[in-house]
Amino acid sequence: MPFDRGSFTFAMFDIPAELPENLLDLFAAKKAGPLDAVTDEPQLGWVTGHHLLDTTINEESAQMGGSYYLTLRQAVRKMPASLLNAVCKREEQAYMRANELEYVSSKMKKQIREEAIEKHIQKMPPALSGIPMVLEPHERLLYVGASSRSQIDLFLDMFYQTVKVEPLQLSPALLLERLCNATMASFPTLTISGRPDAEPVTGRDFLMWLWFYSETTGKLEVPDYGEFDLMIEAPLVFAVADDAQGAEEVAIKKGDSPLRSSEAKAAILNGKKLKKAKLTMTRANQIWTGTFDADQFAFGSFKTPEPEEMNADEVFAERVLNLSIFRAGIIAYFKKFSEAMTGMDFPQFEKEIRAWAQERDAV
C-alpha cells in the first residue's frame, strides 16, 4: 500500500552511514526491466512511487514532498494452477495414447510439466507487486511499506545491493542498545502471570506495558513535541513463548469490551502476552492509529492525522512529517518502558502490573 494516500503498512529504519552522492544514479542503474523480459523467475527492480510502470528515476520523478519516494517492483509470470494442471493432464493422456501406456512415470510427469510451463509461460500476463519506501537522506531515515519478515528481508537485500548501505530496523534490540546500552538477552522480562518466558519477548513486553500504561497513566511529555496520549484497542492477539497451557495464540476481536473480556484476562493469567493490537496515539487534535505487530515492530492499516487541503506534494510532505512525529512518540514511550524495566523500582513495578492483570474486571 502506498504512502501518499489512505492507510498503509510500514516498518521504520535508520540509515547508519552516509548515503552516496550519486544515490539516484544507483537506483536508476537497478531499475525494473522491460515486462517483455519477465519469465517465471521473479524480476526485481526499482520504479518510482507514482506507479509500477514508471522506470524513469531522476530528481524530478523520484522526489515527492522533499523525500525520495521509490518502490521495489517484483514482476513474474505464472500459469494459474487450474490451467497448468489441465494442460499437463492433456499432455499426459496424449503421451499414454502415443506410447500405449496405462500410466505416466513421475519422471515423465515432471518433464511434461516443465515443457508446459516453458511453452505457455510467455502467454501469461506478468503479475506486478511492489514494496514502497520513503527515504529521507538528510535525516537518514527510511520507511518501508512492508510488515512481513520475508518482504522486509527481500527489500533490505535489494537496497544493500543498490547503495551498499544496510538500513537498521527500529526494533527493541536497536532501541535497547541506544537507550540503555542493553541487549535483548540482558534485558529483564516481565513475568505477569508468574510463568517466565522461554525466550526474550521484549516487543511483547513493551506492548503489554503500553496497555498497562495507557490504562493507568497514558499521557507522556515528549521533548520538542509536547504531550502525547495513548490507547490500546481490539482486535487483540495474545501469544505465548513458553509451555503455558492452552493454544499458542488467542485472538479477541468482538464483544462489548474486548479489553475487559474474561478471555483477555484468562489469556494474561495463563502466561500469554499481547502480540498484536490496535494502537491509537494522540497529540492535541492529531490522531495516529493502526495495528501494532510487536514481534515485527511494524504497523498495519496505519492512518496519520488528516492534512489540510493542499496539493499532492504538500500532502505527501505532511504525511512524512507526521510519520517522523509518530516515530518520536514511539521511541519516547519505549524509553519510558525501558526505564521502568531497568530502574531500582523494577520489583515494585512488576508487582503493580501483576496486580493490574489479576484485579482487572472481566465481563
Side-chain angles (χ1 to χ4, degrees):
M1 290 177 281
F3 286 92
D4 56 340
R5 62 186 182 279
S7 61
F8 53 94
T9 295
F10 74 100
M12 298 178 281
F13 294 81
D14 289 350
I15 305 297
E18 290 290 340
L19 291 166
E21 292 185 5
N22 62 336
L23 183 63
L24 287 185
D25 292 336
L26 296 174
F27 281 106
K30 289 189 176 293
K31 69 180 182 180
L35 294 182
D36 290 345
V38 175
T39 66
D40 59 332
E41 292 294 326
Q43 178 201 83
L44 293 174
W46 299 102
V47 296
T48 74
H50 300 294
H51 57 76
L52 294 176
L53 299 177
D54 188 2
T55 59
T56 302
I57 299 175
N58 53 42
E59 285 289 342
E60 183 179 356
S61 64
Q63 282 203 52
M64 194 167 183
S67 303
Y68 288 139
Y69 185 30
L70 296 168
T71 297
L72 177 61
R73 190 186 80 182
Q74 178 171 295
V76 65
R77 294 183 194 270
K78 290 183 179 180
M79 286 184 69
S82 57
L83 174 60
L84 178 58
N85 291 337
V87 170
C88 289
K89 184 62 69 175
R90 182 187 66 189
E91 298 303 318
E92 288 170 10
Q93 291 173 350
Y95 175 81
M96 286 189 291
R97 287 195 299 268
N99 294 277
E100 298 182 349
L101 297 173
E102 294 184 359
Y103 70 93
V104 180
S105 68
S106 298
K107 181 179 180 180
M108 182 53 63
K109 283 186 176 182
K110 180 181 179 182
Q111 181 179 329
I112 289 173
R113 183 182 180 87
E114 291 173 350
E115 290 175 352
I117 292 174
E118 183 179 357
K119 182 178 179 180
H120 296 283
I121 194 66
Q122 289 304 120
K123 301 174 185 177
M124 302 296 110
L128 304 180
S129 60
I131 304 174
M133 74 163 184
V134 175
L135 175 61
E136 298 187 83
H138 300 300
E139 301 295 331
R140 289 175 30 181
L141 298 179
L142 173 68
Y143 303 95
V144 177
S147 60
S148 74
R149 193 71 256 160
S150 60
Q151 280 191 313
I152 290 174
D153 289 344
L154 179 70
F155 178 93
L156 293 179
D157 181 63
M158 188 63 176
F159 189 94
Y160 180 78
Q161 288 184 41
T162 304
V163 302
K164 299 298 185 287
V165 175
E166 184 175 359
L168 300 176
Q169 184 175 0
L170 194 70
S171 64
L174 184 63
L175 288 170
L176 289 178
E177 178 184 341
R178 290 183 176 177
L179 296 175
C180 51
N181 196 28
T183 64
M184 296 273 281
S186 66
F187 194 69
T189 300
L190 279 176
T191 53
I192 301 174
S193 68
R195 296 188 177 113
D197 295 308
E199 58 188 59
V201 285
T202 307
R204 298 181 192 180
D205 282 350
F206 175 51
L207 184 50
M208 288 299 298
W209 176 86
L210 283 176
W211 186 9
F212 164 76
Y213 190 82
S214 70
E215 292 191 353
T216 57
T217 307
K219 297 184 185 301
L220 181 65
E221 189 70 25
V222 179
D224 301 326
Y225 291 100
E227 187 178 76
F228 285 72
D229 203 351
L230 183 135
M231 179 169 59
I232 299 296
E233 301 175 86
L236 312 171
V237 177
F238 292 89
V240 66
D242 56 25
D243 59 353
Q245 295 179 354
E248 282 193 5
E249 288 193 4
V250 174
I252 303 174
K253 300 179 180 180
K254 299 180 179 179
D256 294 334
S257 182
L259 275 74
R260 292 286 178 182
S261 66
S262 56
E263 293 86 355
K265 183 173 183 177
I268 301 172
L269 297 183
N270 281 329
K272 296 178 176 66
K273 294 178 180 178
L274 270 183
K275 176 182 177 181
K276 291 182 183 179
K278 182 180 178 182
L279 182 151
T280 297
M281 187 182 294
T282 62
R283 185 185 74 147
N285 62 344
Q286 294 180 303
I287 301 174
W288 294 261
T289 183
T291 300
F292 178 37
D293 184 330
D295 286 358
Q296 299 302 330
F297 224 73
F299 301 85
S301 302
F302 193 79
K303 296 180 181 179
T304 62
E306 287 295 325
E308 299 176 0
E309 290 296 326
M310 308 173 181
N311 62 43
D313 204 60
E314 292 172 332
V315 167
F316 190 83
E318 184 76 10
R319 287 167 71 88
V320 174
L321 173 61
N322 283 328
L323 275 178
S324 296
I325 295 173
F326 177 79
R327 178 182 181 278
I330 281 292
I331 291 174
Y333 275 101
F334 193 93
K335 182 179 180 181
K336 189 75 173 178
F337 158 71
S338 66
E339 290 171 351
M341 295 288 287
T342 57
M344 295 292 292
D345 294 333
F346 174 69
Q348 179 60 32
F349 159 67
E350 194 172 42
K351 186 181 298 184
E352 290 175 2
I353 199 169
R354 284 181 181 177
W356 166 82
Q358 293 170 357
E359 297 169 8
R360 60 190 294 103
D361 297 332
V363 295

